Amino acid sequence: MSRLGMMTLLALSLVQAVTAKPAPSVPKNEFTFVILGDSQFSHPEVYNRVIDQVALVNPSFVIQVGDMIRGYTDTDHKFRAEWSRFKAQLAPLGKIPFYPVPGNHDVMDASRVPGGANVYQETWGDLYYGFDYKNAHFTVLDTDQAGALRSVSGKQLEWLKRDLRKAQRKAHRFVFFHRPMASLKNSDALHALFLEHKVTAVIYGHLHHYHHYVQDGIPYIVTNAAAWMG
């Protein structure tokens, strides 16, 4: 056999050896998710670029921690129009799931009460809820409920206790809401509950800047704004 023929056989053998190797497998519980902060239609071109970039990352899902629309409007019709506009901005996400967190701008009407909560529920569903993804549990809370502003109390607090108890079978527990922990009327009781149930991290927005601290081993994280720059 000529030298060229032997080199060809060797090359084919190397190709076969390389292609025969199995592709590296993704660890069972490895995944990514994106957290977005306040947007409120301020600089929508910035938010649109953010959404385009998130789509390129192709995360398992996206969570936005409130103040997605401008809100503080005086009619359900205006709330619906703003939500329609916001959902159009999310279109580039395609099939990537989007999980909203209610913020004050999302539910507060012109009288500064949660008069837009009914349209929020009509648009997104429950104001507070939980879901599992692989080995983690995610809890979404509402810190602007009628009769319980700036707190997590009443029926929602009882639901939260049940939700965190059920989530103990998961390796990680993440809690999301809009208003900062320090601004909540029952923050001490909430922290004790999070500590009891070994919450992995607590994430919120509202302040339009990044900040974090750790209390008793639990990280509390303020996300930066997704587009609100002023």
Side-chain angles (χ1 to χ4, degrees), residues 2-3 5 10 27 45 65 123 130 145 148 160 165 179 183 209:
S2 68
R3 180 178 297 179
L10 179 60
E45 74 284 357
V65 290
T123 306
Q145 277 207 300
L160 173 61
R165 278 198 301 270
R179 290 189 183 270
S183 72
H209 66 255

Side-chain angles (χ1 to χ4, degrees), residues 99-153:
Y99 293 99
V101 178
N104 51 297
H105 281 264
D106 305 319
V107 298
M108 291 288 187
D109 62 20
S111 301
R112 299 305 194 259
V113 296
N118 60 322
V119 180
Y120 182 95
Q121 290 175 285
E122 173 188 299
T123 306
W124 297 109
D126 294 333
L127 289 159
Y128 54 90
Y129 58 94
F131 65 94
D132 294 332
Y133 192 86
K134 293 194 176 182
N135 66 339
H137 181 76
F138 298 83
T139 301
V140 171
L141 301 174
D142 176 15
T143 51
D144 283 286
Q145 277 207 300
L149 298 180
R150 296 174 177 82
S151 70
V152 176
S153 55

Side-chain angles (χ1 to χ4, degrees), residues 45-196:
E45 74 284 357
V46 175
Y47 187 77
N48 291 345
R49 286 202 303 272
V50 169
I51 292 299
D52 287 342
Q53 291 165 358
V54 169
L56 289 174
V57 173
N58 193 29
S60 299
F61 55 87
V62 177
I63 294 178
Q64 186 159 349
V65 290
D67 281 7
M68 294 162 275
I69 62 173
R70 186 152 295 158
Y72 287 101
T73 187
D74 56 359
T75 69
D76 286 357
H77 173 74
K78 290 180 181 178
F79 269 113
R80 290 188 183 100
E82 290 196 2
W83 285 123
S84 178
R85 172 184 169 182
F86 178 74
K87 283 194 167 185
Q89 288 185 281
L90 296 180
L93 293 180
K95 294 183 179 180
I96 299 170
F98 178 86
Y99 293 99
V101 178
N104 51 297
H105 281 264
D106 305 319
V107 298
M108 291 288 187
D109 62 20
S111 301
R112 299 305 194 259
V113 296
N118 60 322
V119 180
Y120 182 95
Q121 290 175 285
E122 173 188 299
T123 306
W124 297 109
D126 294 333
L127 289 159
Y128 54 90
Y129 58 94
F131 65 94
D132 294 332
Y133 192 86
K134 293 194 176 182
N135 66 339
H137 181 76
F138 298 83
T139 301
V140 171
L141 301 174
D142 176 15
T143 51
D144 283 286
Q145 277 207 300
L149 298 180
R150 296 174 177 82
S151 70
V152 176
S153 55
K155 291 182 179 180
Q156 182 177 196
L157 180 59
E158 294 308 309
W159 174 87
L160 173 61
K161 292 175 182 178
R162 294 193 301 271
D163 182 70
L164 291 177
R165 278 198 301 270
K166 292 176 183 176
Q168 291 307 293
R169 68 186 185 278
K170 294 294 183 179
H172 305 285
R173 286 157 292 283
F174 296 92
V175 177
F176 298 84
F177 44 82
H178 179 66
R179 290 189 183 270
M181 182 70 167
S183 72
L184 302 183
K185 297 172 184 176
N186 60 334
S187 59
D188 289 343
L190 287 173
H191 174 70
L193 186 62
F194 297 155
L195 190 61
E196 175 188 353

